[in-house]
Amino acid sequence: MRKTTSRGRTGRHLAPDATPSAKQAKAEAALPKQPDPLDDDLPLAREAQRAVRVLNPSGSVTMPRPPRRRVFAVANQKGGVGKTTSTVNLAVALALHGNRVMVVDLDPQGNASTGLGVEHGAGTPSVYEAVVEGMSLDEIATPVEGIPSLYCVPATIDLAGAEVELVNVVAREARLQKSIATFSGELDYILIDCPPSLGLLTVNALVAAEEVLIPIQCEYYALEGLGQLLRNIELIKAHLNARLRVSTILLTMYDKRTKLADQVEQEVRGHFSEIVLDAVVPRSVRVSEAPGYGQSIMTYDPGSRGATSYFEAAEEIARRGAKLSPRRGDKDQKGGN
Ligand SMILES: Nc1ncnc2c1ncn2[C@@H]1O[C@H](COP(=O)(O)OP(=O)(O)O)[C@@H](O)[C@H]1O
Ligand SMILES: [Mg+2]
């Protein structure tokens, strides 16, 4: 891990079943009596604790860890449909409820890194060094401040050149898969935030992943272009990654005032049936404000509809994952991740 912090220690406050009683809360508030290296983290860690209490007051909702690591490519070649927002918020929701999660920012714009408050200025070891130069993720993954068990592999502007630089690299489609394999930490979820294109970076995500999560914006033209993404997924499945499947569709930016949003929802559910999550993310200004504070909506405004919808979506994802078999069937297995 690039930066070592003792952040993990704050995890004791955040176990899924840790709904603090008044007594516990008082004890926690009194915790750091002496100067503590954790001091800097405390405001964010407290926000995270508060988020768990607001989102899950009785502590009755658990997000069971999957029996095997799940790697998701969050993909849709359209920009602005909620890929990054969904990646960040689902990752935080899962990590706040006992899962070990890593976000891989694979978009040169670095929005997922920004949203998690992770340094990604020029010169920061990033996914570029991993994919293009073969650096181990152990040296790149950074703990996300205030959220125990959440790590981020940031993206810097260097990544913008990677599509071209990778063209002549050996096994160019499997670079990310290889670097993920170098990560020595144990993880339950890896969420790869893809750029808005179907180029080599997205191909790398689709080769590294087993599942694809497609966010769909509840607006006009929502389904346009999706056919091309699905065809690419089929091609990758046929030639590079037999395990790949579209496991999850999340409807985002639902505006209940418009009839259109409802029509898009019906259409998507009619077409993709059970892989569409029941939870739908509403269009909400609060959701779009959160990244400006280097925070997810989960900690920025845990009582908001945006936060509860991502919380519900994460819970559904976790519940489905709990039913997976511990190991991939031998038949499906082609390369590891
Ligand atoms: N549910 C939402 N309500 C309002 N704004 C949203 C919502 N989800 C995302 N946004 C905003 O829409 C823009 C695009 O979202 P983003 O997640 O970056 O999409 P993508 O990664 O697919 O390009 C961002 O400014 C983001 O803050
Ligand atoms: Mg994005």
Side-chain angles (χ1 to χ4, degrees), residues 43-55:
L44 282 174
R46 287 222 182 89
E47 301 236 4
Q49 272 174 265
R50 183 175 71 99
V52 173
R53 282 197 293 267
V54 172
L55 286 160

Side-chain angles (χ1 to χ4, degrees), residues 76 78-86 107 111 193-194 196 215 252-254 281-289 291 306 310:
N76 186 330
K78 262 188 156 178
V81 299
K83 289 183 288 299
T84 302
T85 307
S86 301
D107 186 339
N111 294 340
D193 185 28
C194 292
T252 64
M253 298 191 221
Y254 185 95
V281 180
R283 178 175 283 285
S284 134
V285 177
R286 302 295 276 165
V287 172
S288 57
E289 281 171 358
Y310 273 116

Side-chain angles (χ1 to χ4, degrees), residues 35-238:
D36 186 314
L38 275 177
D39 264 0
D40 281 350
D41 291 353
L42 279 173
L44 282 174
R46 287 222 182 89
E47 301 236 4
Q49 272 174 265
R50 183 175 71 99
V52 173
R53 282 197 293 267
V54 172
L55 286 160
N56 193 5
S58 67
S60 59
V61 178
T62 56
M63 297 191 192
R65 284 170 40 201
R68 64 170 198 252
R69 187 172 72 187
R70 299 176 77 189
V71 184
F72 282 86
V74 181
N76 186 330
Q77 80 269 34
K78 262 188 156 178
V81 299
K83 289 183 288 299
T84 302
T85 307
S86 301
T87 303
V88 164
N89 289 297
L90 292 172
V92 170
L94 288 164
L96 287 178
H97 292 85
N99 285 275
R100 302 161 300 184
V101 185
M102 183 156 78
V103 168
V104 177
D105 189 350
L106 204 58
D107 186 339
Q109 294 189 39
N111 294 340
S113 313
T114 307
L116 291 168
V118 169
E119 166 67 41
H120 64 110
T124 309
S126 68
V127 73
Y128 174 87
E129 281 75 14
V131 170
V132 178
E133 296 174 1
M135 189 190 276
S136 163
L137 283 195
D138 282 343
E139 294 176 53
I140 300 172
T142 309
V144 172
E145 203 172 326
I147 314 283
S149 308
L150 178 59
Y151 302 93
C152 175
V153 175
T156 63
I157 194 66
D158 287 339
L159 195 61
E163 295 268 1
V164 175
E165 289 174 55
L166 280 175
V167 168
N168 293 318
V169 169
V170 179
R172 61 194 176 191
E173 299 91 355
R175 303 288 295 184
L176 181 62
Q177 182 197 43
K178 289 228 164 61
S179 36
I180 285 176
T182 65
F183 187 70
S184 59
E186 289 192 11
L187 291 168
D188 299 306
Y189 286 90
I190 298 178
L191 304 183
I192 308 167
D193 185 28
C194 292
S197 70
L198 293 172
L200 255 181
L201 287 173
T202 296
V203 168
N204 263 271
L206 295 173
V207 170
E210 186 171 345
E211 303 183 47
V212 188
L213 186 161
I214 307 179
I216 295 183
Q217 189 180 0
C218 295
E219 280 182 5
Y220 208 59
Y221 300 131
L223 299 180
E224 208 175 67
L226 217 57
Q228 203 188 341
L229 172 64
L230 297 174
R231 275 193 297 280
N232 278 32
I233 290 170
E234 284 311 311
L235 277 174
I236 287 175
K237 202 171 158 170

Side-chain angles (χ1 to χ4, degrees), residues 245-311:
R245 66 194 167 94
V246 179
S247 68
T248 314
I249 287 179
L250 175 60
L251 293 162
T252 64
M253 298 191 221
Y254 185 95
D255 187 343
K256 62 175 186 311
R257 293 166 305 182
T258 69
K259 234 176 135 183
L260 182 66
D262 188 48
Q263 281 167 9
V264 172
E265 177 175 4
Q266 298 311 323
E267 197 176 344
V268 172
R269 290 195 189 282
H271 198 269
F272 293 101
S273 57
E274 80 280 358
I275 63 171
V276 186
L277 296 178
D278 292 336
V280 173
V281 180
R283 178 175 283 285
S284 134
V285 177
R286 302 295 276 165
V287 172
S288 57
E289 281 171 358
Y293 297 85
Q295 282 196 45
S296 67
I297 187 68
M298 315 307 288
T299 51
Y300 177 66
D301 189 356
S304 64
R305 277 293 303 138
T308 45
S309 63
Y310 273 116
F311 171 76

